[in-house]
Amino acid sequence: MKDQSETHQLVLLPGDGIGPEVIKAAETVMRTAREYLHREGIELSWEAKPIGGAAIEEAGKPLPEETLSAAQAAKAVLLGAVGGPQWDRLAPHERPEAGLLGLRRALSVYANLRPAALLPGLEGQSPLRPSAIQGLDVLLVRELTGGVYFGEPRGRSGESPSRSAIDTMAYEEGEIRRVAHVAFRSAQRRQGRVTSVDKRNVLETSRLWREVVEDVAKEYPDVTVEHQLVDSMAMLLVLKPHMFDVVLTENMFGDILSDELGGVVGSLGVMASASLGDDGPGLYEPVHGSAPDIAGKDMANPLGAILSLAMLAEHSLDLPLLARSIEGAVKEVLRQGLRTKDISDGSQGEKVIGTREMGERVADALAQNLHSRQALNATYF
Ligand code: IPM
Ligand code: MN
């Protein structure tokens, strides 16, 4: 048993589009967790703050100081999604996305973990044939605070018809090294294989990337490393995704390949993520975007947000048993045949339910789970 009087303060950033709905569903699950944790002397509390488009409307900017300082003071941050067509005309630094990028940077969460595995019962959702996805269990480790997302110079100049634009992809050795360590340490706890993805036949940053990854690999003799070019990797992830364990890559390649993995598992709606730095709060967010077309319709899949909450319990609260219990509750609800619209056509006895009800059913299953378990703050189980 751990210290009996811990308080975990969390910050919720619902954001835009379906963000508020999926975060509300996660909150339903959090209330159940809070009740059980409280019995063991662990207090969970949280407050919501605006980010992205919601913050632009409320406070005139996508990352208000109050949101940032609350996030910095929290144990962990759970974010929904940002962005929407109504803010598309704003200048780059005023856009909702600038709020999220600014937050990632301010929290120094340079390692973005995006696990992709098939949830039991959802195998049929993958467009790939069974032999390609059997045993699929990939952890994508995406560098999150460098590369072309942040490089300078960037901007536009000139007038039509001779306008020009520039972005800069830049990496320092240290930025590559620290995220590579995260990938290798993750591999040690998994199948012991790292696939590093770059474009070293063309890009200088990729040549440095590969050299530094090779260097870091020497410190992990128990982990095997291989390299793939990003174009070829994009193909391999649909041909034989089950061949990969940990996939390590830079910011933009990781953005693209993680959506591809969402397609491979059948829906981005179930994909969770954790963004971690060396210290300070972790940032947890579902991989799906704000999906403005289905926002406000109680149709969005909250499982990505709920599974992000499980990652939060594991990485920021050091409560692996709670994490496993939340994952178990998600599996149980799927076993019962309950589905949101993105992961079912309503056939084969499945029942299509809304975002809110999905949150409630997972919370019920979690309560069941916790009721029949040992103490949540046990350090092992
Ligand atoms: C993601 C998103 C973000 C990104 C956007 C919203 C800025 O696509 O988390 O994958 O590109 O990182
Ligand atoms: Mn993305």
Side-chain angles (χ1 to χ4, degrees):
M1 304 281 265
K2 293 175 196 163
D3 176 7
Q4 287 292 299
S5 57
E6 272 174 288
T7 298
H8 297 307
Q9 171 67 29
L10 309 180
V11 164
L12 306 183
L13 306 176
D16 309 321
I18 59 172
E21 296 165 71
V22 299
I23 292 298
K24 227 178 223 137
E27 239 182 312
T28 308
V29 177
M30 285 164 68
R31 274 193 286 274
T32 298
R34 177 175 63 188
E35 187 185 325
Y36 280 83
L37 289 170
H38 174 74
R39 298 180 193 174
E40 296 172 25
I42 301 174
E43 304 302 333
L44 199 60
S45 67
W46 58 86
E47 56 177 341
K49 296 282 178 195
I51 194 168
I56 294 171
E57 302 307 324
E58 229 180 288
K61 45 177 136 170
L63 181 60
E65 286 78 22
E66 204 193 310
T67 297
L68 179 57
S69 56
Q72 283 168 326
K75 194 69 167 268
V77 179
L78 183 65
L79 183 140
V82 298
Q86 60 271 56
W87 303 289
D88 265 353
R89 292 179 171 280
L90 294 174
H93 66 282
E94 295 172 342
R95 291 176 58 94
E97 290 80 2
L100 174 56
L101 298 179
L103 181 66
R104 289 173 178 172
R105 186 81 163 191
L107 296 179
S108 282
V109 286
Y110 59 82
N112 179 217
L113 313 184
R114 297 187 161 182
L118 283 167
L119 287 165
L122 298 191
E123 297 85 354
Q125 287 303 307
S126 173
L128 302 184
R129 59 179 181 276
S131 62
I133 51 168
Q134 178 114 47
L136 168 65
D137 182 8
V138 172
L139 176 67
L140 181 88
V141 179
R142 169 189 176 192
E143 200 290 325
L144 201 63
T145 53
V148 72
Y149 272 58
F150 296 96
E152 297 285 348
R154 60 185 292 148
R156 298 186 44 141
S157 55
E159 299 292 332
S160 182
S162 42
R163 288 172 292 178
S164 66
I166 181 170
D167 293 290
T168 301
M169 186 185 275
Y171 270 108
E172 283 174 12
E173 180 170 354
E175 295 177 294
I176 303 169
R177 195 172 289 279
R178 62 187 183 176
V179 73
H181 277 289
V182 172
F184 281 93
R185 285 199 302 267
S186 303
Q188 284 180 318
R189 294 189 299 271
R190 295 170 48 97
Q191 296 170 42
R193 291 182 289 121
V194 169
T195 304
S196 175
V197 178
D198 61 44
K199 186 70 185 172
R200 77 132 178 202
N201 50 349
V202 176
L203 299 176
E204 286 300 337
T205 43
S206 282
R207 286 190 268 274
L208 179 64
W209 183 276
R210 199 177 283 209
E211 279 168 40
V212 174
V213 171
E214 279 292 332
D215 220 33
V216 172
K218 292 189 193 118
E219 297 177 45
Y220 300 86
D222 50 336
V223 176
T224 58
V225 62
E226 59 151 354
H227 303 272
Q228 290 289 346
L229 296 173
V230 63
D231 49 353
S232 154
M233 188 64 182
M235 177 184 67
L236 291 172
L237 279 181
V238 290
L239 285 182
K240 41 183 187 176
H242 64 288
M243 296 295 288
F244 299 99
D245 180 20
V246 174
V247 174
L248 164 66
T249 193
E250 68 89 41
N251 202 346
M252 187 170 65
F253 298 162
D255 179 47
I256 297 166
L257 295 180
S258 58
D259 269 37
E260 187 182 1
L261 283 168
V264 165
V265 302
S267 175
L268 262 189
V270 297
M271 298 262 299
S273 87
S275 304
L276 308 171
D278 289 325
D279 39 41
L283 173 62
Y284 300 82
E285 30 172 331
V287 177
H288 63 65
S290 58
D293 51 324
I294 58 163
K297 296 183 177 163
D298 196 39
M299 267 168 64
N301 190 339
L303 295 183
I306 291 169
L307 291 169
S308 298
L309 175 66
M311 293 187 87
L312 183 158
E314 169 138 21
H315 295 282
S316 285
L317 308 186
D318 199 18
L319 292 169
L321 184 59
L322 176 59
R324 296 293 90 74
S325 302
I326 294 172
E327 290 163 3
V330 166
K331 288 179 184 158
E332 170 57 22
V333 163
L334 293 174
R335 201 194 57 74
Q336 293 166 4
L338 302 174
R339 304 279 190 276
T340 41
K341 216 172 170 185
D342 58 309
I343 49 172
S344 175
D345 53 10
S347 68
Q348 292 160 349
E350 291 164 357
K351 185 172 176 224
V352 175
I353 59 176
T355 311
R356 209 185 55 196
E357 191 178 352
M358 185 56 102
E360 287 164 0
R361 294 289 80 79
V362 174
D364 290 348
L366 178 65
Q368 287 274 328
N369 243 335
L370 297 180
H371 191 67
S372 57
R373 289 254 190 162
Q374 65 195 95
L376 267 182
N377 60 350
T379 42
Y380 59 89
F381 55 95

